[in-house]
Amino acid sequence: MLDHLITHDDNLRMVPTDRNELAAAVGHLQEELRALPEGSDTARARVLTRWIGIAQLCLGHHDEARTSLRQSLELAVTIGNSRAVVATGLNLGDAHRYAGDVRGADALYRSALITARYHHPELMDFALQHTGKHLMECGDPAGARAHLQEALRLRIAKGDAELVKSTQAALERVELLISQADASATGHAVPGQWSRQWTAWLQSRITTRTPSRWAQDFPTVRYAVAGLTAHQRVHPCHLRDQSFPSALLTAMAEEAEKAVAADGYLHNGKWNAATLDAVSLFVGQVDLADVVSRSSGLAVEPPHTAVYIAYEEGQRLDFHLDEFGFGEANLILCLKHERPAELPRASTTVFLTADSYLECDLAAGDCIVFDGALTPHGRTPLSAGESVTLVCFGFRAREQDSRTVTHLPPVPSGRAALGRPESAPAPRCATLCGHAGN
């Protein structure tokens, strides 16, 4: 209604494109609202009060904005429009945030997140975006980044370029704040830059494309990788005996296939898609946090994010590090792995450790727990007739100390210091195996 009169400033807050024009537009909306016979058109009154509140917020009239938006929220509740409850709740949260009421804003954002998650998942990206900005202003850049990364994933899946651009701008702002706060203290690149630089270095020296070359290429990276391994919060562990309910696995596999077909997007050479109801049901019935904690020794909270991943013939994923916002622990669960019976070599999930490659051939129901931010990992190419469907969950450590990694090993700058001494043993390849908790 007034979108064309609103933009964002350098701090990502809403401001008028033309203050006088926006003020005049507010006057027209107020006249229309006053002209409505009392109780005659509650739905229209809700829309008008919402936009009046948003405009007043942009104009800096915080008290008036909160009054109008609270009225709109009450009208949304009265008529049972839960979608409007989420949207207006986020606007009212902004009004409290802009006015400096951190506690009031936090309560409104959290409420909107919960309602969106369980009743309107199509609004989750908006709830995550607004909450991320709130956390950024509250001095929690790590939390802000996690929320905004999830919002970006959902918005890429939606395919809305403007929404993607908005979230990318917020993420860039968060990374800048982290850089300003951390660069002088650590002397290293900030985590997001650090992860991307390490990934670029790894991919310039070694690849999952040709496993036959691993023994030849591994000496160029093994000593650098050893520095990463020393910081891992979770070591890779392949779990085969979890006995997850087969009906839930089947439901997720079917949902993943539909999600990839309808809204999948290519990311790093594979298909990604947003998770939906089947994953929510699975997480509600299976204590994944307990699975991760028992297998790794790291106490974690329930998963805060998840994504479907699908590979088809010829696709692969080169060695890389995840960004820290995905969590201190990852769990990859295989939903389906189809392959011809005569296939000589199946595609595997593969990890780089200090002294070897660890390959994991996942079957449906198998899962791997690992630290994606500090363990180089990837997938070897799929052969003809092969396909793989996975769901990946991100977990945060319960203890704050485990969430913070200091003295990150610097990205190597050259090859000379990384070559394998003549006395060093040749690298070995191993199949990742073992069972958790016994």
Side-chain angles (χ1 to χ4, degrees), residues 348-402:
T348 61
T349 300
V350 61
F351 301 89
L352 291 175
T353 69
D355 62 356
S356 68
Y357 293 88
L358 297 179
E359 288 192 83
C360 183
D361 185 359
L362 291 175
D366 286 2
C367 57
I368 314 169
V369 176
F370 64 104
D371 182 348
L374 289 165
T375 310
H377 58 286
R379 173 165 284 278
T380 59
L382 274 68
S383 300
E386 193 176 8
S387 65
V388 177
T389 304
L390 312 166
V391 58
C392 186
F393 298 92
F395 300 79
R396 295 194 181 102
R398 289 191 181 277
E399 298 296 330
Q400 187 64 41
D401 287 348
S402 297

Side-chain angles (χ1 to χ4, degrees), residues 168-394:
Q168 287 174 332
L171 275 168
E172 289 172 3
R173 176 70 174 174
V174 168
E175 294 291 356
L176 177 61
L177 292 174
I178 292 174
S179 176
Q180 292 171 342
D182 292 352
S184 60
T186 65
H188 301 309
V190 298
Q193 298 169 336
W194 181 89
S195 301
R196 290 188 290 272
Q197 290 169 3
W198 259 101
T199 294
W201 184 85
L202 288 164
Q203 292 179 358
S204 71
R205 285 159 174 78
I206 200 162
T207 179
T208 63
R209 182 190 298 275
T210 51
S212 61
R213 288 184 48 184
W214 285 352
Q216 173 186 343
D217 294 342
F218 188 66
T220 66
V221 301
R222 65 176 303 180
Y223 295 101
V225 171
L228 295 173
T229 302
H231 287 79
Q232 287 174 354
R233 284 74 58 97
V234 175
H235 297 291
C237 185
H238 182 186
L239 308 178
R240 296 187 176 90
D241 57 354
Q242 298 306 299
S243 301
F244 296 131
S246 58
L248 297 181
L249 295 177
T250 300
M252 287 191 290
E254 293 174 350
E255 180 178 86
E257 182 178 359
K258 294 177 182 177
V260 169
D263 299 307
Y265 55 97
L266 279 172
H267 180 64
N268 290 340
K270 57 182 172 35
W271 291 101
N272 282 20
T275 58
L276 300 167
D277 294 342
V279 168
S280 298
L281 181 62
F282 179 77
V283 171
Q285 296 191 25
V286 176
D287 190 350
L288 286 180
D290 181 64
V291 172
V292 172
S293 299
R294 284 189 294 106
S295 63
S296 67
L298 178 70
V300 298
E301 298 176 346
H304 70 96
T305 188
V307 61
Y308 283 131
I309 299 172
Y311 295 86
E312 55 192 23
E313 179 180 324
Q315 290 184 325
R316 67 184 178 89
L317 178 61
D318 231 332
F319 289 113
H320 67 285
L321 295 181
D322 296 336
E323 293 199 10
F324 283 84
F326 200 75
E328 288 67 58
N330 297 21
L331 183 148
I332 292 178
L333 171 59
C334 181
L335 303 176
K336 184 186 293 186
H337 190 170
E338 295 182 340
R339 66 187 92 176
E342 67 280 6
L343 190 67
R345 177 184 176 87
S347 171
T348 61
T349 300
V350 61
F351 301 89
L352 291 175
T353 69
D355 62 356
S356 68
Y357 293 88
L358 297 179
E359 288 192 83
C360 183
D361 185 359
L362 291 175
D366 286 2
C367 57
I368 314 169
V369 176
F370 64 104
D371 182 348
L374 289 165
T375 310
H377 58 286
R379 173 165 284 278
T380 59
L382 274 68
S383 300
E386 193 176 8
S387 65
V388 177
T389 304
L390 312 166
V391 58
C392 186
F393 298 92

